[in-house]
Amino acid sequence: MRIEWREVKSMAMQTVRDVMTTNVVYLPSETTLAEAARTMREQDIGDVVVADGPELSGLVTDRDIVVRAVAERCDPAATTIGEILSKNLVTVRPEDSIHSAALLMRDQAVRRVLVCDDSNGLVGIVSIGDLAEEIDPDSVLGGISKAEPNN
């Protein structure tokens, strides 16, 4: 597929605000993996932000539950998300370009970034799928990301 200059210019001008998910789900660190997994299923999401009070503790993804807990034979009913969360939070600003967000995700080797602004703190999340849908919706990843969930 050949990308025209006007498409590249359009990508550079689109902001994170245009593609971010604003429905952020927060759970306290004492939430069990089983409870977090049920929440993810019910909300049709792949991550939850871990927060105890106003301060963010980290992020837990469905992949974290599988790789850091289930694969290590941790009991999902007894293990908490606070025990497996990712503390190294990568953030972008709502006015950042989607191109710069994609480059940051590549450079930091992360699949999601938190969107934060000065006045409201965390205002959204952007996933690699969100960017794929916007940057190249006809790509395989863009198509997968747009597809209905297969519960």
Side-chain angles (χ1 to χ4, degrees):
M1 179 174 132
R2 188 167 170 235
I3 297 176
E4 298 294 324
W5 167 246
R6 66 180 172 275
E7 293 174 282
V8 171
K9 186 176 178 188
S10 172
M11 278 191 313
M13 294 170 60
Q14 284 183 294
T15 65
V16 168
R17 184 184 326 282
D18 298 328
V19 300
M20 70 183 187
T21 299
T22 56
N23 184 23
V24 178
V25 175
Y26 298 86
L27 292 175
S29 59
E30 67 269 3
T31 305
T32 66
L33 300 180
E35 291 172 73
R38 279 191 295 276
T39 298
M40 289 180 194
R41 179 188 63 203
E42 291 163 4
Q43 298 289 322
D44 189 29
I45 56 176
D47 56 72
V48 293
V49 173
V50 182
D52 294 305
E55 184 140 343
L56 302 180
S57 302
L59 183 73
V60 171
T61 67
D62 47 5
R63 186 173 190 280
D64 292 333
I65 292 172
V66 171
V67 173
R68 295 181 183 168
V70 175
E72 297 297 325
R73 297 193 172 122
C74 296
D75 179 359
T79 306
T80 66
I81 58 176
E83 296 175 62
I84 67 158
L85 61 78
S86 297
K87 291 182 181 181
N88 184 21
L89 301 176
V90 179
T91 63
V92 295
R93 299 176 59 77
E95 62 273 6
D96 290 346
S97 73
I98 62 173
H99 182 73
S100 67
L103 293 174
L104 179 65
M105 292 168 78
R106 180 199 65 191
D107 294 346
Q108 296 293 315
V110 295
R111 293 173 173 86
R112 292 169 178 82
V113 291
L114 301 181
V115 184
C116 299
D117 72 13
D118 293 333
S119 57
N120 298 313
L122 180 62
V123 294
I125 296 178
V126 173
S127 72
I128 194 170
D130 297 330
L131 295 178
E133 283 183 59
E134 195 61 37
I135 292 172
D136 193 1
D138 296 325
S139 70
V140 173
L141 183 56
I144 292 168
S145 297
K146 286 189 300 191
E148 290 296 316
N150 61 357
N151 301 346

